[in-house]
Amino acid sequence: MNQDEHFLREAIALARDNAAHGGRPFGAVVVKDGSVVAVGVNEIFATGDPTAHAELLAIRAAANALGSPRLDGCSVYASGHPCPMCLAAMHLCGIRDAAYAYSNEDGAPYGLSTAAVYAEMAKPVHDQQLPVRHVPVRDEDGDLYAYWRQIASR
Amino acid sequence: MNQDEHFLREAIALARDNAAHGGRPFGAVVVKDGSVVAVGVNEIFATGDPTAHAELLAIRAAANALGSPRLDGCSVYASGHPCPMCLAAMHLCGIRDAAYAYSNEDGAPYGLSTAAVYAEMAKPVHDQQLPVRHVPVRDEDGDLYAYWRQIASR
Protein backbone atom coordinates (compact mmCIF):
# COMPACT_ATOMS: atom_id res chain seq x y z
CA MET A 1 0.00 0.00 0.00
CA ASN A 2 1.56 3.33 -0.97
CA GLN A 3 1.50 6.46 1.20
CA ASP A 4 -1.52 7.98 -0.57
CA GLU A 5 -3.59 4.86 -0.06
CA HIS A 6 -2.42 4.41 3.53
CA PHE A 7 -3.38 7.92 4.70
CA LEU A 8 -6.55 8.13 2.60
CA ARG A 9 -7.71 4.90 4.22
CA GLU A 10 -7.06 6.50 7.59
CA ALA A 11 -9.12 9.56 6.56
CA ILE A 12 -11.95 7.28 5.37
CA ALA A 13 -11.84 5.32 8.63
CA LEU A 14 -12.16 8.59 10.58
CA ALA A 15 -15.09 9.63 8.36
CA ARG A 16 -16.82 6.28 8.81
CA ASP A 17 -16.39 6.40 12.56
CA ASN A 18 -17.73 9.97 12.63
CA ALA A 19 -20.79 8.88 10.62
CA ALA A 20 -21.33 6.00 13.05
CA HIS A 21 -21.57 8.60 15.81
CA GLY A 22 -24.07 10.81 14.00
CA GLY A 23 -21.61 13.14 12.30
CA ARG A 24 -21.10 13.92 8.65
CA PRO A 25 -18.90 11.43 6.74
CA PHE A 26 -15.71 13.45 6.46
CA GLY A 27 -12.28 12.88 7.96
CA ALA A 28 -8.85 14.38 7.31
CA VAL A 29 -5.26 13.69 8.26
CA VAL A 30 -2.29 16.10 8.24
CA VAL A 31 1.01 14.38 7.50
CA LYS A 32 4.58 15.64 7.79
CA ASP A 33 7.68 13.62 6.88
CA GLY A 34 5.58 10.48 6.54
CA SER A 35 3.97 10.74 10.01
CA VAL A 36 0.52 11.85 11.11
CA VAL A 37 0.68 15.24 12.84
CA ALA A 38 -3.04 15.68 13.47
CA VAL A 39 -6.47 14.47 12.40
CA GLY A 40 -9.94 15.97 12.19
CA VAL A 41 -13.53 14.98 11.50
CA ASN A 42 -16.53 17.06 10.54
CA GLU A 43 -17.99 18.41 13.79
CA ILE A 44 -20.83 20.58 12.46
CA PHE A 45 -23.43 18.21 13.88
CA ALA A 46 -21.73 18.00 17.27
CA THR A 47 -20.90 21.70 17.67
CA GLY A 48 -23.22 23.69 15.39
CA ASP A 49 -20.14 25.45 14.01
CA PRO A 50 -20.53 25.76 10.20
CA THR A 51 -16.76 26.02 9.77
CA ALA A 52 -16.06 22.74 11.60
CA HIS A 53 -14.98 20.82 8.49
CA ALA A 54 -12.60 17.91 8.91
CA GLU A 55 -9.73 19.57 7.02
CA LEU A 56 -10.07 22.90 8.84
CA LEU A 57 -10.07 21.20 12.24
CA ALA A 58 -7.12 19.00 11.24
CA ILE A 59 -5.19 22.12 10.18
CA ARG A 60 -5.97 23.83 13.49
CA ALA A 61 -4.90 20.72 15.40
CA ALA A 62 -1.70 20.41 13.33
CA ALA A 63 -0.75 24.04 13.99
CA ASN A 64 -1.31 23.41 17.67
CA ALA A 65 0.73 20.20 17.60
CA LEU A 66 3.62 21.81 15.71
CA GLY A 67 3.49 25.06 17.69
CA SER A 68 3.28 27.21 14.56
CA PRO A 69 0.57 28.66 12.31
CA ARG A 70 2.75 27.68 9.33
CA LEU A 71 2.35 24.15 8.02
CA ASP A 72 4.93 24.27 5.23
CA GLY A 73 5.90 20.82 4.08
CA CYS A 74 2.73 19.19 5.39
CA SER A 75 0.24 17.24 3.27
CA VAL A 76 -3.51 16.88 3.81
CA TYR A 77 -5.32 13.61 3.13
CA ALA A 78 -9.10 14.03 3.08
CA SER A 79 -11.82 11.44 2.69
CA GLY A 80 -13.80 13.82 0.44
CA HIS A 81 -13.00 16.62 -2.00
CA PRO A 82 -11.89 19.63 0.11
CA CYS A 83 -14.30 22.56 -0.16
CA PRO A 84 -12.97 26.01 -1.14
CA MET A 85 -12.88 27.15 2.50
CA CYS A 86 -10.57 24.28 3.41
CA LEU A 87 -8.51 24.59 0.21
CA ALA A 88 -7.97 28.30 0.87
CA ALA A 89 -6.97 27.49 4.45
CA MET A 90 -4.36 25.09 3.06
CA HIS A 91 -3.00 27.81 0.75
CA LEU A 92 -2.87 30.32 3.62
CA CYS A 93 -0.79 28.15 5.96
CA GLY A 94 1.60 26.64 3.41
CA ILE A 95 0.25 23.10 3.02
CA ARG A 96 2.35 21.45 0.28
CA ASP A 97 -0.24 19.22 -1.36
CA ALA A 98 -3.48 17.38 -0.77
CA ALA A 99 -5.24 14.21 -1.85
CA TYR A 100 -8.83 13.03 -1.51
CA ALA A 101 -10.68 9.78 -2.08
CA TYR A 102 -14.36 10.62 -2.66
CA SER A 103 -15.10 13.23 -5.32
CA ASN A 104 -17.81 15.89 -5.44
CA GLU A 105 -19.45 13.71 -8.10
CA ASP A 106 -19.52 10.83 -5.58
CA GLY A 107 -21.07 13.16 -3.00
CA ALA A 108 -23.65 14.92 -5.16
CA PRO A 109 -26.41 12.26 -4.90
CA TYR A 110 -26.14 12.57 -1.11
CA GLY A 111 -26.03 16.37 -0.93
CA LEU A 112 -22.34 16.08 0.01
CA SER A 113 -20.80 18.06 -2.85
CA THR A 114 -19.38 21.57 -2.59
CA ALA A 115 -19.04 21.95 -6.37
CA ALA A 116 -21.71 24.69 -6.29
CA VAL A 117 -19.59 26.83 -3.98
CA TYR A 118 -16.57 26.41 -6.26
CA ALA A 119 -18.75 27.42 -9.21
CA GLU A 120 -20.06 30.52 -7.39
CA MET A 121 -16.60 31.64 -6.37
CA ALA A 122 -15.28 31.17 -9.91
CA LYS A 123 -17.76 33.77 -11.21
CA PRO A 124 -16.84 37.44 -11.49
CA VAL A 125 -17.43 39.06 -8.08
CA HIS A 126 -20.40 41.08 -9.27
CA ASP A 127 -22.18 37.98 -10.62
CA GLN A 128 -21.87 35.96 -7.42
CA GLN A 129 -24.94 35.13 -5.37
CA LEU A 130 -23.24 36.59 -2.31
CA PRO A 131 -22.36 40.20 -3.19
CA VAL A 132 -19.16 41.54 -1.56
CA ARG A 133 -19.11 45.33 -1.69
CA HIS A 134 -16.05 47.53 -1.31
CA VAL A 135 -17.09 50.56 0.77
CA PRO A 136 -13.89 52.51 1.49
CA VAL A 137 -14.93 53.78 4.93
CA ARG A 138 -12.19 55.30 7.12
CA ASP A 139 -12.26 56.40 10.75
CA GLU A 140 -10.65 59.54 12.17
CA ASP A 141 -7.51 57.84 13.50
CA GLY A 142 -5.57 57.51 10.26
CA ASP A 143 -4.69 54.52 8.12
CA LEU A 144 -5.34 51.28 10.00
CA TYR A 145 -2.53 49.34 8.33
CA ALA A 146 0.06 52.10 8.87
CA TYR A 147 -0.99 52.10 12.53
CA TRP A 148 -0.48 48.34 12.71
CA ARG A 149 3.00 48.56 11.19
CA GLN A 150 3.90 51.29 13.65
CA ILE A 151 2.82 49.09 16.58
CA ALA A 152 4.40 45.93 15.14
CA SER A 153 7.78 47.61 14.60
CA ARG A 154 8.15 48.79 18.19
CA MET B 1 -24.20 57.61 8.82
CA ASN B 2 -25.71 54.73 6.86
CA GLN B 3 -25.69 51.10 7.97
CA ASP B 4 -22.65 50.17 5.86
CA GLU B 5 -20.59 52.98 7.35
CA HIS B 6 -21.81 52.31 10.89
CA PHE B 7 -20.88 48.62 10.93
CA LEU B 8 -17.66 49.05 8.93
CA ARG B 9 -16.53 51.62 11.48
CA GLU B 10 -17.25 49.05 14.18
CA ALA B 11 -15.17 46.47 12.29
CA ILE B 12 -12.31 48.99 11.91
CA ALA B 13 -12.48 49.85 15.62
CA LEU B 14 -12.19 46.14 16.47
CA ALA B 15 -9.22 45.82 14.09
CA ARG B 16 -7.50 48.87 15.56
CA ASP B 17 -7.99 47.61 19.10
CA ASN B 18 -6.63 44.20 18.09
CA ALA B 19 -3.55 45.84 16.57
CA ALA B 20 -3.05 47.84 19.77
CA HIS B 21 -2.86 44.50 21.62
CA GLY B 22 -0.33 42.95 19.24
CA GLY B 23 -2.78 41.26 16.87
CA ARG B 24 -3.21 41.64 13.13
CA PRO B 25 -5.38 44.60 12.05
CA PHE B 26 -8.56 42.77 11.13
CA GLY B 27 -12.03 42.88 12.65
CA ALA B 28 -15.44 41.65 11.53
CA VAL B 29 -19.06 42.02 12.59
CA VAL B 30 -22.01 39.75 11.79
CA VAL B 31 -25.31 41.62 11.55
CA LYS B 32 -28.88 40.34 11.38
CA ASP B 33 -31.96 42.56 11.08
CA GLY B 34 -29.86 45.64 11.77
CA SER B 35 -28.32 44.33 15.00
CA VAL B 36 -24.88 42.92 15.77
CA VAL B 37 -25.06 39.16 16.38
CA ALA B 38 -21.34 38.54 16.90
CA VAL B 39 -17.91 40.02 16.32
CA GLY B 40 -14.43 38.64 15.72
CA VAL B 41 -10.84 39.79 15.42
CA ASN B 42 -7.81 38.09 13.92
CA GLU B 43 -6.40 35.80 16.62
CA ILE B 44 -3.55 34.14 14.73
CA PHE B 45 -0.96 35.94 16.85
CA ALA B 46 -2.72 35.12 20.12
CA THR B 47 -3.56 31.49 19.35
CA GLY B 48 -1.19 30.28 16.61
CA ASP B 49 -4.26 29.04 14.70
CA PRO B 50 -3.79 29.89 11.00
CA THR B 51 -7.57 29.79 10.43
CA ALA B 52 -8.31 32.36 13.17
CA HIS B 53 -9.31 35.13 10.78
CA ALA B 54 -11.72 37.79 12.03
CA GLU B 55 -14.56 36.80 9.70
CA LEU B 56 -14.24 33.07 10.41
CA LEU B 57 -14.29 33.64 14.17
CA ALA B 58 -17.23 36.05 13.83
CA ILE B 59 -19.15 33.41 11.84
CA ARG B 60 -18.40 30.77 14.47
CA ALA B 61 -19.53 33.15 17.23
CA ALA B 62 -22.68 34.08 15.31
CA ALA B 63 -23.63 30.42 14.80
CA ASN B 64 -23.14 29.91 18.51
CA ALA B 65 -25.19 33.00 19.40
CA LEU B 66 -28.04 32.04 17.05
CA GLY B 67 -27.93 28.34 17.94
CA SER B 68 -27.66 27.25 14.30
CA PRO B 69 -24.91 26.53 11.76
CA ARG B 70 -27.06 28.39 9.18
CA LEU B 71 -26.64 32.16 9.04
CA ASP B 72 -29.17 32.90 6.31
CA GLY B 73 -30.13 36.57 6.24
CA CYS B 74 -26.98 37.69 8.05
CA SER B 75 -24.46 40.19 6.66
CA VAL B 76 -20.72 40.34 7.34
CA TYR B 77 -18.91 43.66 7.73
CA ALA B 78 -15.13 43.27 7.61
CA SER B 79 -12.40 45.84 8.08
CA GLY B 80 -10.39 44.25 5.25
CA HIS B 81 -11.14 42.33 2.05
CA PRO B 82 -12.28 38.84 3.12
CA CYS B 83 -9.86 36.12 2.00
CA PRO B 84 -11.17 33.14 0.00
CA MET B 85 -11.31 30.94 3.11
CA CYS B 86 -13.65 33.40 4.81
CA LEU B 87 -15.65 34.09 1.64
CA ALA B 88 -16.20 30.35 1.13
CA ALA B 89 -17.27 30.03 4.77
CA MET B 90 -19.85 32.75 4.13
CA HIS B 91 -21.17 30.87 1.09
CA LEU B 92 -21.33 27.61 3.05
CA CYS B 93 -23.46 28.97 5.90
CA GLY B 94 -25.81 31.20 3.89
CA ILE B 95 -24.46 34.70 4.62
CA ARG B 96 -26.52 37.10 2.48
CA ASP B 97 -23.92 39.72 1.66
CA ALA B 98 -20.69 41.28 2.84
CA ALA B 99 -18.90 44.61 2.80
CA TYR B 100 -15.32 45.61 3.55
CA ALA B 101 -13.47 48.90 4.02
CA TYR B 102 -9.77 48.25 3.28
CA SER B 103 -8.98 46.58 -0.04
CA ASN B 104 -6.26 44.08 -0.92
CA GLU B 105 -4.59 46.96 -2.76
CA ASP B 106 -4.56 48.94 0.52
CA GLY B 107 -3.05 45.92 2.29
CA ALA B 108 -0.43 44.89 -0.27
CA PRO B 109 2.32 47.34 0.84
CA TYR B 110 2.00 45.88 4.35
CA GLY B 111 1.88 42.21 3.35
CA LEU B 112 -1.82 42.20 4.28
CA SER B 113 -3.33 41.22 0.93
CA THR B 114 -4.75 37.79 0.08
CA ALA B 115 -5.02 38.60 -3.64
CA ALA B 116 -2.35 35.97 -4.37
CA VAL B 117 -4.51 33.22 -2.85
CA TYR B 118 -7.48 34.32 -4.95
CA ALA B 119 -5.25 34.27 -8.03
CA GLU B 120 -3.96 30.75 -7.22
CA MET B 121 -7.45 29.36 -6.66
CA ALA B 122 -8.70 30.90 -9.90
CA LYS B 123 -6.19 28.82 -11.89
CA PRO B 124 -7.09 25.41 -13.30
CA VAL B 125 -6.56 22.83 -10.52
CA HIS B 126 -3.55 21.27 -12.24
CA ASP B 127 -1.78 24.63 -12.54
CA GLN B 128 -2.14 25.58 -8.87
CA GLN B 129 0.91 25.73 -6.63
CA LEU B 130 -0.85 23.39 -4.19
CA PRO B 131 -1.71 20.23 -6.14
CA VAL B 132 -4.91 18.47 -5.06
CA ARG B 133 -4.96 14.90 -6.33
CA HIS B 134 -8.02 12.69 -6.70
CA VAL B 135 -7.01 9.19 -5.64
CA PRO B 136 -10.20 7.09 -5.59
CA VAL B 137 -9.20 4.84 -2.69
CA ARG B 138 -11.95 2.72 -1.13
CA ASP B 139 -11.95 0.58 1.99
CA GLU B 140 -13.57 -2.85 2.37
CA ASP B 141 -16.73 -1.62 4.11
CA GLY B 142 -18.61 -0.33 1.10
CA ASP B 143 -19.48 3.18 -0.04
CA LEU B 144 -18.88 5.69 2.76
CA TYR B 145 -21.66 8.05 1.71
CA ALA B 146 -24.26 5.27 1.33
CA TYR B 147 -23.27 4.13 4.84
CA TRP B 148 -23.79 7.69 6.15
CA ARG B 149 -27.25 7.91 4.56
CA GLN B 150 -28.18 4.58 6.04
CA ILE B 151 -27.15 5.78 9.54
CA ALA B 152 -28.72 9.22 9.11
CA SER B 153 -32.07 7.80 8.01
CA ARG B 154 -32.49 5.59 11.07
Side-chain angles (χ1 to χ4, degrees), chain A residues 144-145 148, chain B residues 6-20 23-30 36 38-44 52-59 75-83 86 90 98-102 112:
Chain A
L144 171 64
Y145 295 162
W148 170 73
Chain B
H6 176 77
F7 291 122
L8 286 172
R9 277 174 171 255
E10 183 162 345
I12 293 169
L14 287 163
R16 199 177 286 278
D17 185 64
N18 198 49
R24 289 163 73 88
F26 296 109
V29 179
V30 177
V36 173
V39 304
V41 295
N42 186 297
E43 295 186 7
I44 295 178
H53 284 197
E55 301 92 321
L56 207 78
L57 296 182
I59 286 170
S75 300
V76 171
Y77 293 89
S79 62
H81 191 141
C83 82
C86 294
M90 294 180 208
Y100 64 96
Y102 284 78
L112 297 175

Coordinates of all heavy atoms in Angstrom, one line a residue, chain A residues 144-145 148, chain B residues 6-20 23-30 36 38-44 52-59 75-83 86 90 98-102 112:
Chain A
L144 N -5.4 52.4 9.1 CA -5.3 51.3 10.0 C -4.1 50.5 9.8 O -3.5 50.0 10.8 CB -6.6 50.4 9.7 CG -6.7 49.1 10.4 CD1 -6.7 49.2 11.9 CD2 -7.9 48.3 9.9
Y145 N -3.7 50.2 8.6 CA -2.5 49.3 8.3 C -1.2 50.0 8.7 O -0.3 49.4 9.2 CB -2.5 48.9 6.9 CG -3.7 48.0 6.5 CD1 -4.1 47.7 5.2 CD2 -4.5 47.3 7.5 CE1 -5.1 46.9 4.9 CE2 -5.5 46.5 7.2 CZ -5.9 46.3 5.9 OH -6.9 45.5 5.6
W148 N -0.9 49.7 12.4 CA -0.5 48.3 12.7 C 1.0 48.2 12.5 O 1.7 47.7 13.4 CB -1.2 47.3 11.8 CG -0.6 45.9 12.0 CD1 -0.8 45.1 13.0 CD2 0.1 45.2 11.0 NE1 -0.1 43.9 12.8 CE2 0.4 43.9 11.6 CE3 0.6 45.5 9.7 CZ2 1.2 43.0 10.9 CZ3 1.4 44.6 9.0 CH2 1.7 43.3 9.6
Chain B
H6 N -21.7 52.6 9.4 CA -21.8 52.3 10.9 C -21.1 51.0 11.3 O -20.3 51.0 12.2 CB -23.3 52.2 11.3 CG -23.5 51.9 12.7 ND1 -23.3 52.8 13.8 CD2 -23.8 50.7 13.3 CE1 -23.6 52.2 14.9 NE2 -23.9 50.9 14.7
F7 N -21.4 49.9 10.6 CA -20.9 48.6 10.9 C -19.4 48.5 10.5 O -18.6 47.8 11.1 CB -21.8 47.5 10.4 CG -23.1 47.4 11.1 CD1 -24.3 47.5 10.5 CD2 -23.1 47.3 12.5 CE1 -25.5 47.4 11.1 CE2 -24.4 47.2 13.2 CZ -25.5 47.3 12.5
L8 N -19.1 49.1 9.4 CA -17.7 49.0 8.9 C -16.8 49.8 9.9 O -15.7 49.4 10.2 CB -17.5 49.6 7.5 CG -18.0 48.6 6.4 CD1 -18.0 49.3 5.1 CD2 -17.2 47.3 6.4
R9 N -17.3 50.9 10.4 CA -16.5 51.6 11.5 C -16.4 50.8 12.7 O -15.3 50.8 13.4 CB -17.2 52.9 11.8 CG -16.9 54.1 10.9 CD -17.7 55.3 11.2 NE -17.2 56.4 10.4 CZ -16.5 57.4 10.9 NH1 -16.2 57.5 12.2 NH2 -16.1 58.4 10.1
E10 N -17.4 50.0 13.0 CA -17.2 49.1 14.2 C -16.2 48.0 13.9 O -15.4 47.7 14.8 CB -18.6 48.4 14.5 CG -18.5 47.5 15.7 CD -19.9 47.2 16.3 OE1 -20.9 47.8 16.0 OE2 -19.9 46.2 17.1
A11 N -16.2 47.5 12.7 CA -15.2 46.5 12.3 C -13.8 47.1 12.3 O -12.8 46.4 12.8 CB -15.5 45.9 10.9
I12 N -13.6 48.3 11.9 CA -12.3 49.0 11.9 C -11.9 49.2 13.4 O -10.7 49.1 13.7 CB -12.4 50.3 11.1 CG1 -12.5 50.0 9.6 CG2 -11.1 51.1 11.3 CD1 -12.9 51.3 8.8
A13 N -12.8 49.6 14.2 CA -12.5 49.8 15.6 C -12.0 48.6 16.3 O -11.0 48.6 17.1 CB -13.7 50.4 16.4
L14 N -12.6 47.4 15.9 CA -12.2 46.1 16.5 C -10.8 45.8 16.0 O -9.9 45.4 16.7 CB -13.1 45.0 16.0 CG -14.5 45.0 16.7 CD1 -15.5 44.1 15.8 CD2 -14.4 44.4 18.1
A15 N -10.5 46.1 14.7 CA -9.2 45.8 14.1 C -8.1 46.7 14.7 O -7.0 46.2 15.1 CB -9.3 46.1 12.6
R16 N -8.5 47.9 15.0 CA -7.5 48.9 15.6 C -7.2 48.4 17.0 O -6.0 48.4 17.4 CB -8.0 50.3 15.5 CG -7.0 51.4 15.7 CD -7.6 52.8 15.6 NE -8.0 53.2 14.2 CZ -7.1 53.6 13.3 NH1 -5.8 53.8 13.6 NH2 -7.5 54.0 12.1
D17 N -8.2 48.1 17.7 CA -8.0 47.6 19.1 C -7.2 46.3 19.1 O -6.3 46.2 20.0 CB -9.3 47.4 19.8 CG -9.2 47.0 21.2 OD1 -8.7 47.9 22.0 OD2 -9.6 45.9 21.6
N18 N -7.4 45.4 18.2 CA -6.6 44.2 18.1 C -5.2 44.5 17.8 O -4.3 43.9 18.4 CB -7.2 43.3 17.0 CG -6.8 41.8 17.1 OD1 -6.9 41.2 18.2 ND2 -6.3 41.2 16.1
A19 N -4.9 45.4 16.9 CA -3.5 45.8 16.6 C -2.9 46.4 17.8 O -1.7 46.1 18.1 CB -3.5 46.8 15.4
A20 N -3.6 47.2 18.6 CA -3.0 47.8 19.8 C -2.6 46.8 20.8 O -1.7 47.0 21.6 CB -4.1 48.8 20.4
G23 N -2.2 42.1 17.9 CA -2.8 41.3 16.9 C -2.7 41.9 15.5 O -2.3 43.0 15.3
R24 N -3.2 41.1 14.5 CA -3.2 41.6 13.1 C -4.4 42.5 13.0 O -5.4 42.3 13.7 CB -3.2 40.5 12.1 CG -1.8 39.8 12.1 CD -1.9 38.4 11.4 NE -2.1 38.5 10.0 CZ -1.1 38.6 9.1 NH1 0.1 38.6 9.5 NH2 -1.3 38.6 7.8
P25 N -4.4 43.5 12.1 CA -5.4 44.6 12.1 C -6.6 44.2 11.3 O -6.9 44.8 10.2 CB -4.6 45.8 11.4 CG -3.7 45.1 10.4 CD -3.3 43.8 11.2
F26 N -7.3 43.2 11.8 CA -8.6 42.8 11.1 C -9.7 42.5 12.2 O -9.4 41.9 13.2 CB -8.3 41.5 10.4 CG -7.3 41.6 9.2 CD1 -6.1 41.0 9.3 CD2 -7.7 42.3 8.1 CE1 -5.1 41.2 8.3 CE2 -6.7 42.5 7.1 CZ -5.5 41.9 7.2
G27 N -10.8 43.1 11.8 CA -12.0 42.9 12.7 C -13.2 42.6 11.8 O -13.2 43.0 10.6
A28 N -14.2 41.9 12.3 CA -15.4 41.6 11.5 C -16.6 41.6 12.4 O -16.5 41.3 13.6 CB -15.3 40.3 10.8
V29 N -17.8 41.9 11.9 CA -19.1 42.0 12.6 C -20.1 41.3 11.8 O -20.2 41.5 10.6 CB -19.5 43.5 12.7 CG1 -20.8 43.6 13.5 CG2 -18.4 44.3 13.4
V30 N -20.9 40.4 12.4 CA -22.0 39.7 11.8 C -23.3 40.4 12.2 O -23.5 40.6 13.5 CB -22.1 38.2 12.1 CG1 -23.3 37.6 11.5 CG2 -20.8 37.5 11.6
V36 N -26.1 43.7 15.7 CA -24.9 42.9 15.8 C -25.2 41.6 16.5 O -25.6 41.6 17.6 CB -23.7 43.7 16.5 CG1 -22.5 42.8 16.7 CG2 -23.4 44.9 15.7
A38 N -22.6 39.0 16.4 CA -21.3 38.5 16.9 C -20.2 39.3 16.2 O -20.4 39.9 15.2 CB -21.2 37.0 16.6
V39 N -19.1 39.3 16.9 CA -17.9 40.0 16.3 C -16.7 39.1 16.4 O -16.8 38.1 17.1 CB -17.6 41.3 17.1 CG1 -18.8 42.3 17.1 CG2 -17.1 41.0 18.5
G40 N -15.7 39.4 15.7 CA -14.4 38.6 15.7 C -13.2 39.5 15.3 O -13.4 40.5 14.6
V41 N -12.1 39.1 15.8 CA -10.8 39.8 15.4 C -9.9 38.7 15.1 O -10.0 37.5 15.5 CB -10.2 40.7 16.5 CG1 -11.1 41.9 16.8 CG2 -9.9 39.9 17.8
N42 N -8.8 39.0 14.3 CA -7.8 38.1 13.9 C -7.0 37.6 15.2 O -6.5 38.5 15.9 CB -6.9 38.7 12.9 CG -5.9 37.8 12.4 OD1 -5.0 37.2 13.1 ND2 -5.9 37.5 11.1
E43 N -7.0 36.3 15.4 CA -6.4 35.8 16.6 C -5.2 34.9 16.3 O -4.8 34.1 17.1 CB -7.4 35.1 17.5 CG -8.5 36.0 18.0 CD -9.5 35.3 19.0 OE1 -9.2 34.1 19.4 OE2 -10.5 36.0 19.4
I44 N -4.7 35.0 15.1 CA -3.5 34.1 14.7 C -2.4 34.4 15.7 O -1.8 33.4 16.2 CB -3.1 34.4 13.3 CG1 -4.2 34.0 12.3 CG2 -1.8 33.6 13.0 CD1 -3.9 34.3 10.8
A52 N -7.6 31.4 12.2 CA -8.3 32.4 13.2 C -8.4 33.8 12.6 O -8.0 34.8 13.2 CB -7.6 32.4 14.5
H53 N -9.0 33.8 11.4 CA -9.3 35.1 10.8 C -10.5 35.7 11.4 O -11.4 35.0 11.9 CB -9.6 34.9 9.3 CG -8.3 34.7 8.5 ND1 -8.3 34.9 7.1 CD2 -7.1 34.4 8.8 CE1 -7.1 34.6 6.7 NE2 -6.3 34.3 7.7
A54 N -10.6 37.1 11.4 CA -11.7 37.8 12.0 C -13.1 37.3 11.6 O -14.0 37.0 12.4 CB -11.6 39.3 11.8
E55 N -13.3 37.2 10.2 CA -14.6 36.8 9.7 C -14.9 35.4 10.1 O -16.1 35.1 10.4 CB -14.6 36.9 8.2 CG -14.3 38.3 7.6 CD -12.8 38.4 7.3 OE1 -11.9 38.0 8.1 OE2 -12.5 39.1 6.3
L56 N -13.9 34.5 10.1 CA -14.2 33.1 10.4 C -14.6 33.0 11.9 O -15.6 32.3 12.2 CB -13.0 32.2 10.1 CG -13.4 30.7 9.8 CD1 -13.9 30.6 8.4 CD2 -12.2 29.8 10.0
L57 N -13.9 33.7 12.7 CA -14.3 33.6 14.2 C -15.6 34.3 14.4 O -16.4 33.9 15.3 CB -13.2 34.3 15.0 CG -11.8 33.6 14.9 CD1 -10.8 34.3 15.8 CD2 -11.9 32.1 15.3
A58 N -15.9 35.4 13.7 CA -17.2 36.0 13.8 C -18.4 35.1 13.4 O -19.4 35.1 14.0 CB -17.3 37.4 13.0
I59 N -18.1 34.4 12.3 CA -19.1 33.4 11.8 C -19.4 32.3 12.9 O -20.5 32.0 13.2 CB -18.7 32.8 10.5 CG1 -18.9 33.8 9.4 CG2 -19.5 31.5 10.2 CD1 -18.3 33.4 8.0
S75 N -25.5 39.5 7.5 CA -24.5 40.2 6.7 C -23.2 40.2 7.4 O -23.2 40.2 8.7 CB -24.9 41.6 6.4 OG -26.1 41.7 5.7
V76 N -22.0 40.2 6.7 CA -20.7 40.3 7.3 C -20.1 41.7 7.0 O -20.1 42.1 5.8 CB -19.8 39.2 6.9 CG1 -18.3 39.5 7.4 CG2 -20.3 37.9 7.4
Y77 N -19.7 42.4 7.9 CA -18.9 43.7 7.7 C -17.5 43.4 8.2 O -17.3 43.1 9.4 CB -19.5 44.8 8.5 CG -20.9 45.2 8.0 CD1 -22.1 44.5 8.4 CD2 -21.0 46.1 7.0 CE1 -23.3 44.9 7.9 CE2 -22.3 46.4 6.4 CZ -23.4 45.8 6.9 OH -24.6 46.1 6.4
A78 N -16.5 43.6 7.3 CA -15.1 43.3 7.6 C -14.3 44.5 7.4 O -14.5 45.2 6.4 CB -14.6 42.1 6.7
S79 N -13.3 44.7 8.3 CA -12.4 45.8 8.1 C -11.6 45.7 6.8 O -11.3 46.7 6.1 CB -11.5 46.0 9.3 OG -10.6 44.8 9.4
G80 N -11.2 44.5 6.5 CA -10.4 44.3 5.3 C -11.0 43.3 4.3 O -12.0 42.5 4.7
H81 N -10.6 43.2 3.1 CA -11.1 42.3 2.1 C -11.1 40.9 2.6 O -10.0 40.4 2.9 CB -10.3 42.4 0.8 CG -10.9 41.8 -0.4 ND1 -10.8 42.3 -1.7 CD2 -11.6 40.6 -0.5 CE1 -11.5 41.5 -2.5 NE2 -11.9 40.5 -1.8
P82 N -12.3 40.2 2.7 CA -12.3 38.8 3.1 C -11.4 38.0 2.2 O -11.5 38.1 1.0 CB -13.8 38.4 3.0 CG -14.5 39.7 3.1 CD -13.6 40.7 2.4
C83 N -10.7 37.1 2.8 CA -9.9 36.1 2.0 C -10.8 35.0 1.5 O -11.9 34.9 1.9 CB -8.7 35.5 2.9 SG -9.3 34.1 3.9
C86 N -12.5 32.8 4.1 CA -13.6 33.4 4.8 C -14.8 33.6 3.9 O -16.0 33.4 4.3 CB -13.2 34.7 5.4 SG -12.0 34.5 6.8
M90 N -18.6 32.0 4.2 CA -19.9 32.8 4.1 C -20.8 32.1 3.2 O -22.0 31.9 3.5 CB -19.6 34.2 3.6 CG -18.7 35.0 4.6 SD -18.5 36.7 3.8 CE -16.9 37.1 4.6
A98 N -21.8 40.8 2.0 CA -20.7 41.3 2.8 C -20.2 42.6 2.3 O -20.4 43.0 1.2 CB -19.6 40.2 2.8
A99 N -19.5 43.4 3.2 CA -18.9 44.6 2.8 C -17.6 44.7 3.5 O -17.4 44.2 4.6 CB -19.8 45.8 3.1
Y100 N -16.6 45.4 2.9 CA -15.3 45.6 3.5 C -14.8 47.0 3.3 O -15.2 47.6 2.3 CB -14.3 44.6 3.1 CG -14.0 44.6 1.6 CD1 -12.9 45.3 1.1 CD2 -14.8 44.0 0.7 CE1 -12.6 45.4 -0.2 CE2 -14.6 44.1 -0.7 CZ -13.5 44.8 -1.1 OH -13.2 44.9 -2.5
A101 N -13.9 47.5 4.1 CA -13.5 48.9 4.0 C -12.1 49.0 3.4 O -11.9 49.8 2.4 CB -13.4 49.5 5.4
Y102 N -11.1 48.2 3.8 CA -9.8 48.3 3.3 C -9.6 47.1 2.2 O -9.9 46.0 2.5 CB -8.7 48.1 4.4 CG -8.5 49.3 5.2 CD1 -9.5 49.7 6.2 CD2 -7.4 50.2 5.0 CE1 -9.3 50.8 7.0 CE2 -7.3 51.3 5.8 CZ -8.2 51.6 6.8 OH -8.0 52.8 7.5
L112 N -0.5 42.5 3.7 CA -1.8 42.2 4.3 C -2.9 42.0 3.2 O -4.0 42.1 3.4 CB -2.3 43.3 5.2 CG -1.4 43.6 6.5 CD1 -1.9 44.8 7.2 CD2 -1.4 42.3 7.4

